[in-house]
Amino acid sequence: MSAENLSVESSGAQGSGVENSGVESVSIESLDLGWLTLAPSTLVFIVLGLTLAAFIWGRFRYDLVALTALLGSVMLGLVPAGSAFTGFGHPAVITVAAVLVLSRGFERSGVVDIISNQVLKVGENLLLQLLVLVGTIVLLSGIMNNVGALALLLPVAMRLAREHNTSPSLLLMPLAFGSLLGGLTTLIGTPPNIIISSYRREITGEAFSMFSFSPVGIAVALAGLAFIVLVGWRLTPKRSGQASTDEMFDTANYLVELKVGEESKAKGLTLQQLRDELDETIPVLAVVRDDNRRAGYNFHGALEEGDILLLEAGPDELQMLEDKVGLSAIAELEEELEDDSEAQDVEHSASGKEAGKAKKKDAAQDQQRVDTEGLQLIEAVVRNDSMMINRSVRQLRLNHQFGLHLVAVARDGGRLKQRLRDIRFKNGDVLLLQGSENEISDSLASLGCLPLASRELHLGQPRKLAMSVAIFALAITAMLFDLLPAAVAMSSAALISLLIGVLPLREGYQAIDGPVIVLLAAMIPVGEALETSGGADLIANALLSFGSDWPVVVTMIGLFLLSMLLSNVVNNAAAALLMAPIAVSLANGFDVSLDPFLMVVAVSASCAFLTPIGHQSNTLVMGPGGYRFGDYWKLGLPLSLVVLVVAIPLILLVWPL
């Protein structure tokens, strides 16, 4: 069938089911500026063009950009003022929020312990490591949020890389892409599926079911998994020296001991007074007094003569500490030990010399033990939605507000050498932090950081896996037998999880990704404005004209490529919201079923394999893997082509025109 002589009438919400979506149907008038008259569709294109430019620029967070687009559309008359915020009650938004809560419950239920114990048994074979890691995350991403699944397996992958001396760059990008592939398999696997399902319900009165996406999604995921394991991993860069915390941060080379001398200005000061005196956030990791060691965060008394402070500092900080508060560096202590040994060498016999050397060796070993013994250190990566982004240590009040000391920061695979107080955090930064074992997990969750690996720190939560699985299974059963809509079933499951204590209420609220919810709620009315203004019809007509001499499948491929490219520069949920009306207009223009076109959007909107900004999973592995912006397309482009080649024929087979 060709598109020749076919066109789509700009009929507002006709045939779209918008009247059922909560947005009132209105007649949008042109904007008359006197010297210039702008049609509603032109206004929508201007708003969306500016919105996409702001998304790509990245200067402002995407939820703020989406909210600005919504309010701008209201002021231009594209979205009725009374319906501006109906998106916050949209079933897709509610379902996404509920799935995020359930995903956090899985994270706390002990899943990570079970998985890590099994995955770590795979041995040194890289192909087997990739198969187990990527295969596991594909399964998990089908039943939970993509980022939640990555949060479970990222520490496991890092530990696996370190134990077998493998560069994590070979594991982490395949792991991130696997989380996106797994999301294709079920309704709740990824927000685009939920959005497309809700959009279909508004148009036809019937939503896609839980496993409507599975025939195509599972086949695409398996094809992607096979490609990654057999070929794709060879296309990822091998970054050397990233498998160890010590190698990434080189902590031992920066941990120094400073002694409080008789005339030191630091004598009599508390650690907080010392920081105030220095006007610098210096992380004191520990204080040693009379061979008794106390962690810096737990030392509240005044410093005394002879105290030894273990802290992280570079040459500039050492000089400042010497000049301002008179703290003696460890080098001076070593010189004293050497002088004592030389005196003993003159006074005693050869056996005495050996004893002196042994004493020096023991002292050096004691110093080395001080570097790591008992430190509560953890690696964490800054998420895209973290409150830390573009803020400094001082602004965040990490020590006072969260009980954390910042030891080091790594960015793009290497440790930052600038002063810690001057660093403004970016998403994807890897942090080395010290804190109380009992509180560090809550602090990281509040800050929006994802733990990677730790030293002497147990992140395991109470094992409530059975209850989590049972609640989730009941919700899926209710959806399969059409007992409850997806939004109601998932919300009920999330509520029960909170009521019976699978997840604390505070953490349940923290699990709801505010920026994503605002993005969805704001872009839903804007996406509907694209349809009611006739903008979607104009784009569809252009595609129909372009493909008038070609089979329908060629236009579907064009729709796939357009949606996929869009998802690599904006959030995948926003891509689905914008492309769904265009897909419906194309189907109407060809006078064929809506389903294959909607499925094309669902699959392609989740294929953000080309850039680190297309999806949070891609961004989260950038720092730990030492990747650069241009590394992603090397694996992402051929993987996208594999998905395209597998998905289009299957969509036409399962969802015929």
Side-chain angles (χ1 to χ4, degrees):
M1 178 178 182
S2 73
E4 187 175 3
N5 299 325
L6 291 178
S7 64
V8 181
E9 296 182 2
S10 298
S11 56
Q14 183 178 354
S16 68
V18 173
E19 66 273 12
N20 297 325
S21 66
V23 178
E24 58 188 89
S25 180
V26 295
S27 177
I28 303 176
E29 298 181 356
S30 301
L31 179 64
D32 188 358
L33 301 177
W35 55 275
L36 179 65
T37 301
L38 297 176
S41 58
T42 304
L43 291 175
V44 168
F45 290 146
I46 292 173
V47 171
L48 291 179
L50 293 174
T51 302
L52 292 177
F55 279 141
I56 296 170
W57 183 28
R59 175 64 179 83
F60 301 101
R61 214 167 64 179
Y62 52 77
D63 53 331
L64 298 179
V65 173
L67 196 56
T68 302
L70 172 61
L71 297 178
S73 298
V74 171
M75 294 176 184
L76 291 172
L78 300 172
V79 174
S83 303
F85 300 108
T86 54
F88 286 92
H90 194 279
V93 176
I94 302 302
T95 305
V96 170
V99 170
L100 290 172
V101 175
L102 290 173
S103 296
R104 182 64 63 87
F106 280 124
E107 291 179 39
R108 288 183 57 94
S109 65
V111 174
V112 67
D113 298 325
I114 297 173
I115 294 173
S116 62
N117 289 337
Q118 299 303 314
V119 172
L120 290 172
K121 298 177 181 178
V122 300
E124 298 182 359
N125 188 292
L126 180 60
L127 294 183
L128 190 56
Q129 292 175 6
L130 285 166
L131 178 62
V132 173
L133 280 172
V134 181
T136 302
I137 203 167
V138 166
L139 290 174
L140 288 177
S141 296
I143 60 173
M144 62 187 299
N145 173 259
N146 302 141
V147 177
L150 185 65
L152 293 179
L153 285 180
L154 194 51
V156 179
M158 293 294 291
R159 182 177 170 188
L160 193 66
R162 289 170 183 170
E163 289 194 359
H164 298 290
N165 198 27
T166 303
S167 173
S169 63
L170 298 178
L171 300 177
L172 297 189
M173 189 182 294
L175 191 68
F177 289 174
S179 73
L180 303 186
L181 291 171
L184 300 173
T185 58
T186 65
L187 169 66
I188 63 173
T190 185
N193 288 1
I194 298 173
I195 292 167
I196 293 300
S197 176
S198 297
Y199 197 81
R200 184 179 189 266
R201 181 184 58 80
E202 292 170 2
I203 296 173
T204 67
E206 184 178 356
F208 285 124
S209 66
M210 176 69 179
F211 297 108
S212 294
F213 301 87
S214 299
V216 175
I218 291 176
V220 170
L222 290 176
L225 172 63
F227 175 78
I228 289 173
V229 172
L230 298 178
V231 180
W233 68 270
R234 305 175 192 274
L235 305 176
T236 60
K238 184 176 181 181
R239 307 290 188 216
S240 60
Q242 299 303 314
S244 166
T245 306
D246 288 334
E247 290 171 343
M248 176 178 288
F249 295 112
D250 203 12
T251 312
N253 291 338
Y254 290 84
L255 286 173
V256 295
E257 290 182 7
L258 299 178
K259 183 178 181 180
V260 179
E262 181 180 359
E263 298 181 358
S264 296
K265 189 176 180 180
K267 186 170 68 173
L269 299 180
T270 64
L271 293 184
Q272 181 55 49
Q273 290 171 335
L274 180 64
R275 297 187 188 97
D276 294 340
E277 184 72 25
L278 295 171
D279 191 30
E280 172 71 74
T281 305
I282 297 290
V284 178
L285 302 181
V287 177
V288 181
R289 176 182 296 171
D290 299 329
D291 295 329
N292 294 321
R293 175 192 179 88
R294 296 182 64 182
Y297 62 82
N298 199 32
F299 183 86
H300 305 293
L303 295 173
E304 299 177 1
E305 180 182 351
D307 286 350
I308 296 175
L309 277 63
L310 176 66
L311 51 84
E312 191 275 345
D316 293 339
E317 287 85 359
L318 287 175
Q319 187 62 50
M320 177 188 65
L321 289 162
E322 173 69 27
D323 294 341
K324 287 190 174 183
V325 292
L327 291 175
S328 301
I330 188 62
E332 298 180 15
L333 300 177
E334 291 173 344
E335 290 174 2
E336 293 174 5
L337 283 173
E338 188 172 334
D339 292 341
D340 291 343
S341 296
E342 290 177 356
Q344 292 174 2
D345 289 344
V346 173
E347 183 176 352
H348 299 289
S349 62
S351 60
K353 293 179 183 179
E354 293 300 325
K357 292 180 181 179
K359 181 177 180 181
K360 288 167 62 178
K361 183 178 180 180
D362 291 342
Q365 291 175 345
D366 288 341
Q367 177 192 342
Q368 181 64 28
R369 283 198 295 270
V370 169
D371 285 348
T372 57
E373 182 183 356
L375 294 181
Q376 305 297 321
L377 294 176
I378 186 171
E379 288 175 88
V381 61
V382 179
R383 294 177 50 150
N384 297 48
D385 56 348
S386 171
M387 63 182 293
M388 301 181 72
I389 294 176
N390 293 324
R391 302 175 72 182
S392 66
V393 174
R394 183 171 298 180
Q395 290 173 321
L396 291 166
R397 296 173 60 85
L398 277 183
N399 184 30
H400 292 88
Q401 192 74 21
F402 300 97
L404 296 175
H405 293 283
L406 180 66
V407 178
V409 180
R411 182 176 296 165
D412 298 331
R415 175 193 164 109
L416 297 182
K417 301 298 179 64
Q418 66 193 96
R419 285 192 172 186
L420 295 176
R421 70 173 184 179
D422 296 331
I423 295 175
R424 288 187 176 272
F425 301 107
K426 295 182 179 180
N427 55 336
D429 282 353
V430 181
L431 314 180
L432 186 61
L433 299 162
Q434 182 200 30
S436 169
E437 179 177 352
N438 296 328
E439 300 175 359
I440 198 167
S441 296
D442 291 337
S443 296
L444 290 178
S446 299
L447 288 168
C449 291
L450 182 65
L452 291 177
S454 62
R455 296 175 179 179
E456 300 188 18
L457 182 67
H458 303 286
L459 295 177
Q461 299 294 335
R463 294 181 178 272
K464 298 181 178 178
L465 180 58
M467 285 190 291
S468 298
V469 172
I471 294 169
F472 181 75
L474 288 174
I476 298 301
T477 302
M479 294 166 58
L480 285 176
F481 289 96
D482 292 327
L483 301 178
L484 294 172
V488 177
M490 291 291 106
S491 298
S492 299
L495 176 61
I496 294 172
S497 297
L498 295 172
L499 289 175
I500 67 175
V502 170
L503 190 68
L505 183 59
R506 182 183 65 174
E507 194 163 343
Y509 278 109
Q510 291 175 346
I512 299 176
D513 193 342
V516 169
I517 298 302
V518 172
L519 169 73
L520 288 173
M523 290 303 295
I524 284 173
V526 176
E528 289 171 345
L530 176 65
E531 186 175 6
T532 56
S533 67
D537 294 341
L538 290 176
I539 297 175
N541 276 328
L543 290 174
L544 288 168
S545 299
F546 179 77
S548 59
D549 297 325
W550 301 91
V552 178
V553 66
V554 176
T555 304
M556 293 179 67
I557 292 174
L559 178 67
F560 188 103
L561 294 174
L562 180 60
S563 179
M564 182 185 69
L565 291 174
L566 187 61
S567 70
N568 276 280
V569 294
V570 304
N571 183 279
N572 60 357
L577 285 167
L578 295 177
M579 295 304 298
I582 298 172
V584 170
S585 294
L586 280 172
N588 290 336
F590 280 115
D591 193 23
V592 296
S593 171
L594 302 176
D595 292 340
F597 284 86
L598 289 177
M599 279 293 172
V600 164
V601 173
V603 174
S604 57
S606 296
C607 293
F609 303 129
L610 302 179
T611 68
I613 62 174
H615 195 276
Q616 281 197 46
S617 294
N618 296 354
T619 307
L620 287 174
V621 300
M622 189 175 185
Y627 302 122
R628 303 184 181 95
F629 194 97
D631 290 336
Y632 285 77
W633 71 270
K634 297 174 185 177
L635 171 58
L637 181 58
L639 180 59
S640 299
L641 294 178
V642 169
V643 172
L644 172 63
V645 170
V646 174
I648 295 296
L650 281 175
I651 289 173
L652 291 174
L653 179 65
V654 178
W655 306 97
L657 295 171

